[in-house]
Amino acid sequence: MGRGDNLTILYPSGCKEVTEDVGPDELIRRLKTLAHTLQSMGQDDGAYQEYVPLAMHIADDFFLSYPSRDVQLLIACCIADVLRVYAPEAPYKDPGQVKTLFMFLIKQLGGLKDPKDPAFKRYFYLLENLAYVKSFNMCFELEDCQEIFCKLFKLMFNIVNDEHSGKVKSFMLDVLCPLINESDVVSNDLLDIILSNVLEPAKSQRKNAYHLAKELVVKCSDTLEPYIQAFFNHVLILGREEKTLTISQKVYDLIYELNHICPSVLLSVLPQLEFKLKSSDEEERYGSVSLLARMFSEKDSTLALNHRQLWTAFLGRFNDISIKIRTKCVQYSMHFLLNHPLLRKDITDTLKLRQHDSEESVRYEVVMAIVSTAKKDFSIVSDSEDLLNFVKERTLDKKFKIRKEAMCGLAMIYKKHLNSPDVPPATRHAVTWIKDKILHGYYMTSMDDRLLVERLLNTCLVPYQLPPEDRMKKLFYLYASIDDNATKAFIELQKHQLAVRKNVAELIELHRKPQDEERDREIAYRLGHLTKFLPDPLKVQEFLRKFSQNLNTDPQLLSLMETVVSHDVSCKDSVEAVTQILKKLGQPVMTNLYYNTIKMLLERVSSVMVDQTALEALVGLVEGALSADTSVLDSLNLTSDIATEKGLKLLFVLSFVYPAHFLHADILTRLIALLNVPDSTISPPVLSVLTYIGKYKPIGEPYPDLASVLIPICQRFAESGTPKQAKHAVRCLHTNCTSDSDEVFERILEKIKEQLTFDSVHFRTAVVSLGHIAFNMPDKFLIPIKNVVSRKVVKELLMRNQTSAHTPGPLPRDDVEEWIEEELLTEESSVKMEGIKMMARWLLGLKSDVISAQKTFRMLNAFILHKGDLLETGKMLKAEMAHLRLSAGAAMLKICEQKGVGDQFTSEQFYNLSLLMNDECPQVRERFAIKLHKGLARGIPHKCLPLDFMGFYALAGLEPDRQLKIAVRQYMMADISKRRDYIRSITMSGGSEKASSQLPHIMPDYMLVFAVPLLAHQPDFKDPTDVSQLTRIRSCLWYILEPLMTKNDVYCFGFYKALIEQMKNHKDAVKPEDEITNQKLWAVCDLAMGLILSKTTSFEMKEFPSDPRIPPMYFKKHEDPNFVNVKSYLPTELQVNAPKGSTKVLTGVTKKTTNTVMMVKSAVLNKQRPEDRVEDNVTTSSSIDLPVMKEVKDEDTMMDEDTSNLTNTRKRSRGGFNLEDELDNDDSTTLTSVLPTPTVPSASSTGPASKRGRIGGAIDAASNRISSYLQKETNGKT
């Protein structure tokens, strides 16, 4: 660059020459003077032309590159003043020189970085000077102007910091803004430098640069808009990315930030996003969805209202094929619901679809979004009950993770909002069903669900941290306001926790015994049993063993556990003990599986809801409800009648679970006082409470004074109370009388003998009391009661009609109702029904009186045969006949539950009893089916109805009422499931003899062998060649075979085929010589064979845990021991051919007789049959050919028909008292019928053998195998 040598350099007055040979210090002094002089010059047009050579001189490379930064700064100030003085025509014309000078000035502006620099004022002057005259505008004429601008912008963003004043930042903007607003073009590089500073990481790490860029965009928005639009068009529409640009990689983040900074620059950009939402590329859709979700959902955003088409397109992405896109949309739902009332309907509609999404993560996010919204503002959710209903539906999701969040969310809402005094009505209504839904979760079969419900009950529904009185109010309100199903779940929950407490208490007791081999073996068994009360039994077994070892080595831990499971521990002591135990288990983190396992166990066994103090408060609330105390009723928000009824039932439930807490003088005194309330409905539940207390410990032992008050009251009820009062009074006396019980009951018996006549108003009460005395004390009053039964109950009550109202005479039957409610019956009918029940209770008490049982069965059978009109008068009302035959049928079922007396019915009586399944009255059918289901579900395997009665379900295939048919099918499925669960439990717990002896009596597969003769004796089945009749019978068979064959991992075609073939080789046991009856039986067998052939999908041979057995009670073997029935007894159109390509006769069941239990485990666990399995006993008697099936022959081992000693072979104990039967009507189902609970037998229990020919001959336990009763294999043709 020239130095102006050809021109004379003129310096302003007072300024010395600035030349190369001047030393640095002197040069600085001269430049300061020159700078000061130039600074004072104004902008006069045409003036100072004489200083042009000086201006060119100081722009020399020598000065621009001078080593001293002070010299460079002074030169920069001088040049800036030159540009100011000579503006707009600067003396520098050469483009190269102009570029060099501005690059030099940009470099000097870098000194602004440190405001503490002594020279900062000069740097600030330089900035101010350049901003004042827009000096950088000179660069517009340069081809490289964008390069200069990029460097300047980059420098400014790099140096701006917190220490800069607002004035400095303002001048920076004054320098930069004109370069955008007055430029003809803004390059992408410059755009990248500006916009990259509004994005992360600059936004959070360099906030000053972010604010500078933000202000710049706002001030230059009009100019930048077309360039920003062009950039987005290039990237979004054309899909061309410039990899050198930072913002190209963060397009969606940039749009988001620009929408915050200056929405106007995006007016033409946002509509373009609709194309991205519909892109075929998943990542592009995901990016645009993420962006729009943020933009649409932000508080105060009006984007959705201003861009309706874009909003509609965004809503469509809730249904995107991509899981992560649907998930992203749902995750932002909470923000939409909270921030945008106008968009809630749209979001609710989309969530309705997504809550049924096939992907669990999407459904999970739906639940989380709604629950999170409710936590922040419940009014939003309560205003739209659809949202809460979505969560309600997800409580039944197939994934526990989702069910858990839904349940926890609902519980949190209940706890947080229902207890607030200022909850609006809409909100209160929205949460009333929550407690029901949470308790319904106990119907789930998963142990995780049950533990969750138990935890939520104690933490949210009835928070254990509350004071006792408040806690009882919550419990009272909960129990009084839940529905019937939730009530049953609550009861079942309490029973389950009681069972776990009992098992843990027994385990703790074992640890107190001296250590020996037997004790260790018992502990191991108990630990194995305890795993069934926790999720993942195999996983928790290790941690339970570790806990057991810790109990052996840590006396304090053992003592704390004894406190936790103590019968009378207070809630406070229980919580403290649990806390101390958990401290001994390590850190409470998710990875500490030992801690979490024992914590789950402690949650199940700890008593944190009820103790003595709490019960005192609860009894006080019940007393307040009885006396209609407004303060109590208002605090409970209940009416007096509901509060009284539910309060008494709650006391009854708690007395079953926590009887020890009731055994205190003050509580007992208050309960006994309730017996004197005139209302007759109050005393029965109170007597039930006292009965359970007495079962724990008779009241007369610790409190004889109270017993002396209680006994006269109970005696009065038993003699002259209502039937319900009498029933519960006898029970209460039986459990609570200690010394003089015989005298008390003798007095009662004498009194009720006098009342066993229709002349007494207490006839029915006397019959009820008599029945319960006979049931509870059969040995003490054996002869007197038998005489009364024979003379009074049977001869005078049941065998005679004594009142005209009972037999009004022949009436127009078409106008008479078939069914009326029990309370509308005549007194004689009601007493007769009680008499039938009394007979059943009497027999259940006797247990083994064979003669009395046979006589009773004959009488009850007559009731059923004569449709309730025992004496065949033809004068009784239809409704009363229906009630009487139903009572007789229910009594027969109840007696059959008891081993001994229950084994005395005959085949004909069995068939006659089954007629009630197809009774003409639908109410009889419905109630009988419920009784049947209850009997089959109660106390498997020893206290339930024998397997014979599972065959009754086949008759429900003829049920005309669709709803009833579905209900009975559910009962059957539940009974099948419970038996399979029990088989699984005894198989896994080991014990070869136990498993071998029990399996034939509980395997639901055997119900077919009882259904076949029942259907053969069905009254409407008269002609074995009638196609319509046979079609109906086939539908009945499929009604029971479908659940046995489908969804059954252990289904074995060979077993069913052999079973049917065995049956077909027998005659009917009732009419063995009647050809029509035998043909009907064989036709039913052919129908069954056709069904298993046509419906079986896999003919694979599997191990089956039992041989086919044919009960001689219903089947008689043929006179010819080699008889094989190969004839088909079906019309041609109903015959089923063998599968195509069949060349081999299918073999029957293969069975290893030397290791029965190993095979049971194989079948239950659905393991593959070992290839080298020995085929010992095989059977078939049909000519049905199937491919690749090996024919194996075996000897005939037909069962022995000697039934003289088989009556007592079914070893079962007396049926116990059922809690649900007390809480619910006799005709209602129980939770246990829906919840199959694995029952592990005690170590001393023995398996049942067969009843007199019901399921086969007597079991030879010593041989440790199940005998085979198979016909010889033949190869005939059908």
Side-chain angles (χ1 to χ4, degrees), residues 133 138 164 207 388 412 417 473 590 706 761 814 858 981 998 1009 1057 1129:
V133 292
M138 280 183 62
H164 286 152
K207 293 185 178 180
L388 269 183
M412 176 278 303
H417 296 283
K473 284 182 180 178
M590 290 299 295
L706 290 175
V761 294
D814 295 337
R858 285 197 294 271
D981 288 342
Q998 288 187 9
V1009 87
K1057 178 176 179 293
Y1129 295 87

Side-chain angles (χ1 to χ4, degrees), residues 211-228:
H211 288 296
L212 184 65
K214 179 180 175 181
E215 290 295 324
L216 195 62
V217 170
V218 172
K219 289 179 178 291
C220 306
S221 58
D222 293 340
T223 306
L224 288 175
E225 182 179 349
Y227 298 103
I228 291 173

Side-chain angles (χ1 to χ4, degrees), residues 868-1011:
D869 188 0
L870 182 64
L871 304 180
E872 298 184 86
T873 62
K875 298 179 180 180
M876 291 181 61
L877 296 174
K878 274 189 172 183
E880 302 203 337
M881 292 167 61
H883 274 285
L884 285 170
R885 65 178 179 267
L886 174 61
S887 295
M892 288 183 73
L893 290 178
K894 192 67 182 176
I895 296 168
C896 290
E897 293 177 20
Q898 174 63 54
K899 176 253 175 184
V901 292
D903 298 329
Q904 303 309 314
F905 63 86
T906 64
S907 305
E908 294 93 334
Q909 291 167 355
F910 180 72
Y911 296 144
N912 291 336
L913 179 60
S914 71
L915 296 176
L916 294 179
M917 289 293 292
N918 303 120
D919 193 89
E920 61 188 30
C921 177
Q923 288 84 357
V924 172
R925 299 197 301 271
E926 179 185 3
R927 283 161 173 74
F928 183 76
I930 292 172
K931 294 286 186 183
L932 174 68
H933 168 53
K934 277 189 175 184
L936 288 167
R938 182 186 292 115
I940 296 173
H942 305 302
K943 299 179 182 179
C944 62
L945 285 170
L947 200 60
D948 308 40
F949 292 89
M950 287 285 284
F952 279 22
Y953 281 129
L955 297 173
L958 300 173
E959 175 58 52
D961 187 316
R962 182 173 177 272
Q963 293 300 322
L964 180 54
K965 190 173 183 178
I966 293 172
V968 176
R969 177 181 171 82
Q970 291 174 342
Y971 300 156
M972 175 176 63
M973 297 282 285
D975 291 333
I976 291 173
S977 177
K978 288 198 75 167
R979 279 158 175 75
R980 285 177 179 163
D981 288 342
Y982 181 76
I983 291 172
R984 190 178 297 113
S985 68
I986 63 170
T987 302
M988 298 305 297
S989 60
S992 59
E993 181 179 345
K994 185 191 305 180
S996 300
S997 60
Q998 288 187 9
L999 282 173
H1001 308 286
I1002 52 179
M1003 286 176 57
D1005 306 83
Y1006 275 110
M1007 64 192 287
L1008 177 63
V1009 87
F1010 304 109

Side-chain angles (χ1 to χ4, degrees), residues 620-640:
L621 292 173
V622 174
E623 290 172 337
L626 272 168
S627 60
D629 188 331
T630 54
S631 61
V632 172
L633 296 175
D634 291 343
S635 66
L636 294 172
N637 196 26
L638 296 169
T639 59
S640 177

Side-chain angles (χ1 to χ4, degrees), residues 47-63:
Y48 311 120
Q49 291 299 316
E50 64 272 20
Y51 300 129
V52 170
L54 175 61
M56 301 298 292
H57 175 64
I58 60 175
D60 189 85
D61 286 343
F62 172 77
F63 298 110

